[in-house]
């Protein structure tokens, strides 16, 4: 505990970063969170409302929730249409499966529970979980999330005999978050960040795209020169290298997860401080 006391760690928020932030804070870090995108309701609510009304008129046999955000957005639209209680009653009649704990929390907010949650909060985890369930001739409601190819999941469910009815209740707006990214770049360039922790290669691309769009490329590279760069694994390190950037810290081989990344960062920062004061 407290291995990261006194260190400011920058993380680039995507869907999985809340848990990472919690783990860092438990180690005493001052976590600087940089949202990478804003979330908005689906620009055309009609398909979402139509899905909700199909669910109410004829409740699904099974419901698969990929995100808590998705359920909350659907409930918001249902409230606006005055059909939220009818939606809750319809959802209560379905077997409910969730990708990780967040959709389960969203269900509990409306007085419902998940029948089963994935061990791994990934699409692959959902496919593995549902492969063991009899879905033959079942009507299955599937809530999706943006910027992801869901064809493998849908194909797997249909191959099991399910009639899949999908809904996408929200969209990402990356441009709305550019100001956050430029601020984070300035923080690094001015030496106010001890380490940046990168957990997927999209974060590297997004940083560079935003820097280019705002004329901050030189500031970004200056920031990287002054900041310990921690990569969760080979994919992220490869993306850094493709842009001429180094990796200072990574977990030991085959331990490409958040906790080993935190341990590697703590050791590297302690060593850096020891050299500076030695």
């Amino acid at each position: 505990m407290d291995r990261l006391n006194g260190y400011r760690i920058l993380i680039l928020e995507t869907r999985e970063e809340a848990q990472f932030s919690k783990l860092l804070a438990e180690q005493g870090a001052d976590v600087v969170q940089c949202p990478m995108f804003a979330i908005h309701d689906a620009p055309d609510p009609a398909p979402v409302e139509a899905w909700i009304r199909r669910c109410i008129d004829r409740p699904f046999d099974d419901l698969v929730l990929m995100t808590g955000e998705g359920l909350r957005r659907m409930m918001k639209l249902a409230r606006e249409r005055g059909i939220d209680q009818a939606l809750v009653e319809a959802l209560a009649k379905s077997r409910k499966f969730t990708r990780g704990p967040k959709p389960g929390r969203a269900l509990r907010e409306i007085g419902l529970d998940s029948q089963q949650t994935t061990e791994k909060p990934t699409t692959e985890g959902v496919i593995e979980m549902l492969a063991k369930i009899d879905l033959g001739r079942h009507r299955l409601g599937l809530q999706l999330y943006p910027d992801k190819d869901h064809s493998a999941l849908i194909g797997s469910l249909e191959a099991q005999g399910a009639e899949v009815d999908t809904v996408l209740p929200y969209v990402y707006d990356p441009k709305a978050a550019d100001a956050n990214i430029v601020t984070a770049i300035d923080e690094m360039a001015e030496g106010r960040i001890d380490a940046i922790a990168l957990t997927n290669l999209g974060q590297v691309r997004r940083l560079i795209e935003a820097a280019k769009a705002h004329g901050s490329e030189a500031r970004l590279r200056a920031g990287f020169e002054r900041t310990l760069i921690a990569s969760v694994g080979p994919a992220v390190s490869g993306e850094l290298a493709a842009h001429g950037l180094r990796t200072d810290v990574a977990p030991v081989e085959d331990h490409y997860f958040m906790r080993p990344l935190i341990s590697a960062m703590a050791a590297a920062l302690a060593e850096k401080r020891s050299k500076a004061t030695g």
Side-chain angles (χ1 to χ4, degrees):
M1 295 296 290
D2 300 333
R3 292 181 298 169
L4 292 174
N5 257 358
Y7 292 112
R8 296 188 86 218
I9 311 294
L10 173 64
I11 67 170
L12 307 175
E13 282 193 275
T14 51
R15 288 176 300 278
E16 293 80 23
E17 299 313 303
Q19 178 65 12
F20 192 28
S21 175
K22 181 170 174 282
L23 293 172
L24 286 165
E26 285 172 357
Q27 295 296 325
D30 177 5
V31 182
V32 181
Q33 296 180 329
C34 174
M36 299 292 277
F37 46 73
I39 299 175
H40 300 300
D41 293 334
D44 179 6
V48 183
E49 182 179 349
W51 187 95
I52 290 170
R53 290 190 182 278
R54 287 195 298 276
C55 175
I56 291 170
D57 292 342
R58 193 174 158 221
F60 297 114
D61 299 304
D62 300 303
L63 174 71
V64 179
L65 295 171
M66 299 296 278
T67 65
E69 185 72 35
L71 179 58
R72 292 186 185 102
R73 296 274 167 173
M74 288 191 287
M75 288 306 305
K76 175 173 171 265
L77 180 60
R79 276 191 295 275
E80 290 168 1
R81 301 296 189 266
I83 53 175
D84 50 318
Q85 193 53 46
L87 177 58
V88 172
E89 289 169 6
L91 296 179
K93 296 173 183 175
S94 305
R95 281 192 305 184
K96 289 167 283 295
F97 302 93
T98 54
R99 184 186 71 123
K102 292 180 185 177
R105 284 199 289 273
L107 276 170
R108 287 193 292 278
E109 288 167 12
I110 57 172
L112 301 177
D113 279 305
S114 168
Q115 272 67 60
Q116 197 168 337
T117 299
T118 56
E119 290 182 19
K120 295 181 285 188
T122 62
T123 297
E124 293 72 26
V126 174
I127 292 172
E128 286 174 20
M129 173 177 67
L130 294 175
K132 301 166 188 166
I133 307 292
D134 179 11
L135 301 177
R137 302 177 72 181
H138 281 210
R139 290 176 61 254
L140 184 145
L142 173 61
Q143 174 260 311
L144 304 175
Y145 59 88
D147 294 354
K148 169 79 176 178
D149 179 0
H150 296 282
S151 56
L153 172 59
I154 294 167
S156 171
L157 298 174
E158 289 178 340
Q160 289 175 249
E163 177 192 328
V164 182
D165 191 340
T166 64
V167 62
L168 182 60
Y170 61 100
V171 296
Y172 295 140
D173 178 4
K175 296 252 181 313
D178 275 12
N180 302 320
I181 298 170
V182 171
T183 298
I185 289 169
D186 288 341
E187 288 269 284
M188 284 201 298
E190 289 160 21
R192 292 201 290 264
I193 300 293
D194 295 297
I196 179 171
L198 298 162
T199 55
N200 69 63
L201 58 85
Q203 293 170 340
V204 181
R205 293 175 187 166
R206 183 81 181 88
L207 265 176
I208 289 164
E209 282 168 11
K212 283 180 180 174
H214 294 272
S216 298
E217 282 181 277
R219 294 278 283 168
L220 177 60
R221 292 191 179 273
F224 274 132
E225 283 301 314
R226 301 188 70 171
T227 307
L228 188 87
I229 304 172
S231 158
V232 77
V236 175
S237 297
E239 189 67 23
L240 285 164
H243 295 283
L245 298 166
R246 71 189 190 282
T247 295
D248 296 317
V249 177
V252 295
E253 191 173 348
D254 293 334
H255 288 78
Y256 308 131
F257 307 104
M258 290 177 184
R259 287 182 192 277
L261 177 61
I262 290 169
S263 295
M265 267 196 297
L269 287 165
E271 184 181 346
K272 188 176 178 182
R273 179 176 282 178
S274 175
K275 284 179 180 174
T277 56

